[in-house]
Amino acid sequence: MMNSRGDTNGYLPKHALAVDVVLFTIQAAQLKVLLIKRRQPPYQGTWALPGGMVGRDESVDTAALRALQEETSIGNVYLEQLYTFGELNRDPRGRVITVAYYALVNAEQVSLRGSSVRKTAAWFAVKQLPPVAFDHRRIVEYALARLRNKINYTTVGFQLLPKAFTLTELQSSYEVILNQSLDKRNFRRKMLQLRILARMREFKKKGRQRPARLYTFTEPKVIKLQEKGIIVPF
Amino acid sequence: MMNSRGDTNGYLPKHALAVDVVLFTIQAAQLKVLLIKRRQPPYQGTWALPGGMVGRDESVDTAALRALQEETSIGNVYLEQLYTFGELNRDPRGRVITVAYYALVNAEQVSLRGSSVRKTAAWFAVKQLPPVAFDHRRIVEYALARLRNKINYTTVGFQLLPKAFTLTELQSSYEVILNQSLDKRNFRRKMLQLRILARMREFKKKGRQRPARLYTFTEPKVIKLQEKGIIVPF
DNA sequence: ACAAAAGTGTTGAGAGTACACCCATGC
DNA sequence: GCATGGGTGTACTCTCAACACTTTTGT
C-alpha cells in the first residue's frame, strides 16, 4: 500500500527510465532529424531516436547528453527537456518511461560516429521520416511543435547556424522550420531592430553573386525576448 | 555497460519515480497553492507538495491525478505536466526522480480531505510560502512561470473560476496570477472580441452595488488561441 | 443622496504586412 | 552583359495603451 511520498510501507516500485533525443539540424535547406538503426529487438532494423537508459549515478540531463555523444561528436549543444512519456504500454518489453529532449546543432559542428559496426546513424528530413520505433514519431512531432513555437520568441534558432552567418541563411532557417516563406525586407528589419546581431567586417563570397554581409549573434547564449517575439506565429 | 535503448547487457538500472503536483486556486483575491504537512522523515513536519510514488501499473499522469485525489475531493481538474526533475541529489533518501505537474481548480469545487489523522492539507498564498521540503520551492516557481505564460495565449485561466462568472471576477483572476493590474476597458474589449464568452441572462447580485452580468466559457475545454493571445505579456 | 462596483469609446503610437526595384559580383 | 542572389523604403492597417465619466443598485 502506498499513499504519498515515501509512505510506502516497505514496497517501493522502481522503473526503467529512458531518455530520447530529437536532434535537429539544417542540411540542404531541409530540417533534419538524427535517427539510429536499431540492432536489437524489439524493432530490430527500425530507425529510432538516439537514446538510452538513465544510469544509476547520472542525472537525467546527463543521460540525454551522453546518448547524443554516443552517436555524434559534438561539443556545445543546445539541449532542452521536452516532455516525459509515461504511458503503460509504450514499450513492448514492459514498462519503460522516457524523458524526451530536443537538441539543435549546426550541421558543420557535428559528425556522426557512423563507423561503428554496431550502429548506423543518419539524418532524415522531418517531412519524410521513415517508419520509426516505439512512439518516436509522436516525440518528433512534439519536438517540432515546440521548436516552431519557440523560435518565435526566443533565439534558439541561432543554434542551427554557424557562428557567422548571412541574413539570408538566417531567414532560410526560419523558413525551413516554420515551413513557410517570409518576406525578406520585413524579416531583415525585424531581426536588425532586435539589436541581437553584430555586423561583421567580413563578407561571404559564394559563387558569382554579390557577397553577403556576415553577422554574429551578440548574446552569450539563447535569450528569451520579452517583446512581441521574432516572427509572428501563424 | 550500457549503450543505447535496451542494449543493457543484462544490467538495467531502475529508479524510484515520484510525481508532485502544484495545485493552484484563487481565494480571497490571492493565488494559492495546496501544501501537505509531512508526517514522515525526511522533512518531517515540513510542508510539501501533494505527490507520491508512481506505481507499477499506472501511467505517470494517473499517478499525478491519484496524488491529487488523495488530498482533495475534486472531479474534473485541469492537470498538465510541467517538467521532470532528474538531478542526483534532490532527495536525501537517495535517487528519486520526480515528474512535476500543475493543476488548476475553482476554489468552490474542491474540498480538502483534511480530516484524516495522518495528514494536514492547507492553502498558502504563493507570495508567502512557508519553508517547503525538497526542491519544491523551485517546482512552485516553475509552475507559476508556466501559468503566467500560458494564460496569455490559452484559456487555462478559466479553470480557476466557477462556470458562471462576472467579467470583474475574470479580470481579477488575471491580475492575481500576473501580479499586476490591468485596464478594465481594454480587458473587457479583448475578452469579448475573442468570442469565447457567452453572456448569460442572469446577473450576480452581491451587496448593494449594481448587479454584474454573468458569463460562461463557451468552449468545451481549454483552447489555444492562435491569435495574438489574451493579454499581452509584459 | 450617497456609496460601491458595473459598464462604456476614443485617440495616438507603434508594429505588422504587402509590395518592386537597383546593386555588386563572377563568369 | 548577363545571371545570381544581396540589399533597400514606403504606405496602409490593425492592435495596443492610455485615459474618465455615467449607470444601477442597496441602504
Side-chain angles (χ1 to χ4, degrees):
Chain A
M1 191 51 195
M2 164 190 49
N3 295 342
S4 75
R5 168 186 300 280
D7 183 12
T8 51
N9 296 355
Y11 168 73
L12 208 171
K14 292 202 161 191
H15 303 269
L17 230 207
V19 287
D20 286 300
V21 185
V22 184
L23 178 63
F24 288 111
T25 200
I26 292 180
Q27 270 182 355
Q30 288 186 305
L31 185 64
K32 298 200 172 177
V33 173
L34 186 71
L35 296 178
I36 313 294
K37 187 170 250 174
R38 288 181 58 81
R39 294 277 173 178
Q40 315 84 23
Y43 292 104
Q44 191 168 15
T46 306
W47 294 96
L49 292 172
M53 293 298 168
V54 177
R56 247 182 241 301
D57 298 313
E58 62 181 353
S59 74
V60 180
D61 287 355
T62 305
L65 191 60
R66 179 175 57 76
L68 218 45
Q69 285 173 337
E70 279 169 7
E71 311 297 347
T72 59
S73 59
I74 22 178
N76 285 340
V77 209
Y78 177 81
L79 183 68
E80 181 185 319
Q81 190 187 305
L82 250 193
Y83 197 79
T84 298
F85 295 88
E87 287 78 42
L88 283 175
N89 295 313
R90 40 173 311 283
D91 191 316
R93 285 166 301 184
R95 185 85 198 267
V96 180
I97 289 142
T98 195
V99 185
Y101 287 76
Y102 80 103
L104 305 177
V105 280
N106 161 21
E108 293 163 21
Q109 283 170 336
V110 66
S111 67
L112 303 186
R113 297 201 172 145
S115 49
S116 155
V117 194
R118 303 179 56 246
K119 291 190 197 143
T120 318
W123 294 105
F124 289 87
V126 172
K127 285 188 189 175
Q128 297 154 18
L129 281 194
V132 289
F134 307 102
D135 52 357
H136 288 187
R137 174 128 210 156
R138 183 179 165 210
I139 297 177
V140 173
E141 301 293 346
Y142 199 100
L144 181 57
R146 175 92 130 241
L147 175 59
R148 280 190 176 150
N149 191 37
K150 244 185 151 169
I151 62 165
N152 285 313
Y153 62 95
T154 69
T155 57
V156 276
F158 291 79
Q159 305 296 319
L160 292 163
L161 294 172
K163 275 182 190 161
F165 49 85
T166 67
L167 290 180
T168 302
E169 288 166 345
L170 182 60
Q171 180 177 348
S172 162
S173 78
Y174 273 78
E175 291 178 333
V176 163
I177 291 167
L178 295 173
N179 195 28
Q180 70 178 28
S181 60
L182 302 170
D183 181 88
K184 183 162 51 157
R185 281 170 291 190
N186 294 340
F187 181 85
R188 285 167 182 241
R189 185 182 329 113
K190 188 71 184 274
M191 279 297 163
L192 293 173
Q193 83 185 16
L194 289 172
R195 308 206 151 279
I196 274 175
L197 299 180
R199 194 172 126 140
M200 298 175 69
R201 290 217 183 107
E202 296 78 24
F203 289 81
K204 177 165 200 169
K205 304 181 188 177
K206 54 166 177 179
R208 62 191 200 285
Q209 315 87 358
R210 171 175 177 178
R213 175 72 71 174
L214 286 167
Y215 291 82
T216 12
F217 181 39
T218 56
E219 300 297 328
K221 45 177 183 171
V222 171
I223 58 171
K224 195 173 268 187
L225 300 170
Q226 306 208 327
E227 294 110 74
K228 296 288 171 55
I230 296 181
I231 299 299
V232 176
F234 316 105
Chain B
M1 191 51 194
M2 164 190 50
N3 294 343
S4 74
R5 169 185 298 281
D7 184 11
T8 50
N9 295 355
Y11 169 73
L12 206 171
K14 292 202 162 191
H15 303 269
L17 230 208
V19 287
D20 286 299
V21 185
V22 184
L23 178 64
F24 287 112
T25 199
I26 292 180
Q27 272 182 355
Q30 286 187 307
L31 185 65
K32 298 200 171 176
V33 172
L34 186 71
L35 296 178
I36 312 293
K37 187 169 250 174
R38 289 181 58 82
R39 294 277 173 177
Q40 315 84 25
Y43 292 104
Q44 191 166 16
T46 306
W47 294 96
L49 292 172
M53 293 298 168
V54 177
R56 247 183 241 301
D57 297 312
E58 61 181 354
S59 74
V60 181
D61 287 354
T62 305
L65 192 58
R66 180 176 57 75
L68 218 45
Q69 285 172 338
E70 280 170 6
E71 310 297 347
T72 60
S73 59
I74 22 177
N76 286 339
V77 209
Y78 178 80
L79 182 68
E80 181 184 320
Q81 190 186 305
L82 249 192
Y83 196 80
T84 297
F85 295 87
E87 287 78 43
L88 283 175
N89 295 315
R90 42 174 308 284
D91 191 317
R93 286 166 300 186
R95 185 85 200 267
V96 180
I97 289 142
T98 195
V99 185
Y101 286 76
Y102 80 103
L104 305 177
V105 281
N106 161 21
E108 294 164 20
Q109 283 171 336
V110 67
S111 67
L112 304 186
R113 297 200 172 147
S115 49
S116 156
V117 194
R118 302 178 57 245
K119 290 188 199 145
T120 318
W123 294 105
F124 289 87
V126 172
K127 285 189 189 173
Q128 298 154 17
L129 280 193
V132 289
F134 307 102
D135 53 356
H136 288 187
R137 175 130 210 154
R138 183 177 165 213
I139 296 177
V140 173
E141 301 293 346
Y142 199 100
L144 181 57
R146 175 92 131 241
L147 175 60
R148 280 189 177 150
N149 192 35
K150 242 181 153 172
I151 62 164
N152 285 313
Y153 61 95
T154 69
T155 56
V156 275
F158 291 79
Q159 305 296 320
L160 293 163
L161 294 172
K163 276 183 188 160
F165 48 85
T166 67
L167 290 180
T168 302
E169 288 166 346
L170 183 60
Q171 178 176 348
S172 162
S173 79
Y174 272 77
E175 290 178 334
V176 164
I177 293 167
L178 296 172
N179 196 27
Q180 70 179 25
S181 59
L182 302 170
D183 182 89
K184 183 161 54 155
R185 282 169 291 190
N186 292 340
F187 182 85
R188 286 167 180 240
R189 185 183 326 111
K190 190 70 185 275
M191 279 296 163
L192 292 173
Q193 83 186 13
L194 289 173
R195 307 207 151 278
I196 274 175
L197 298 180
R199 192 172 128 143
M200 298 175 70
R201 291 216 183 109
E202 295 78 24
F203 289 82
K204 178 165 199 169
K205 303 181 189 178
K206 53 168 177 179
R208 64 188 199 285
Q209 314 87 357
R210 172 173 177 177
R213 175 72 71 174
L214 286 167
Y215 290 81
T216 12
F217 182 39
T218 58
E219 300 296 327
K221 45 177 182 173
V222 171
I223 58 171
K224 195 173 268 184
L225 300 169
Q226 305 206 328
E227 295 109 72
K228 297 286 171 52
I230 296 180
I231 299 298
V232 177
F234 315 104

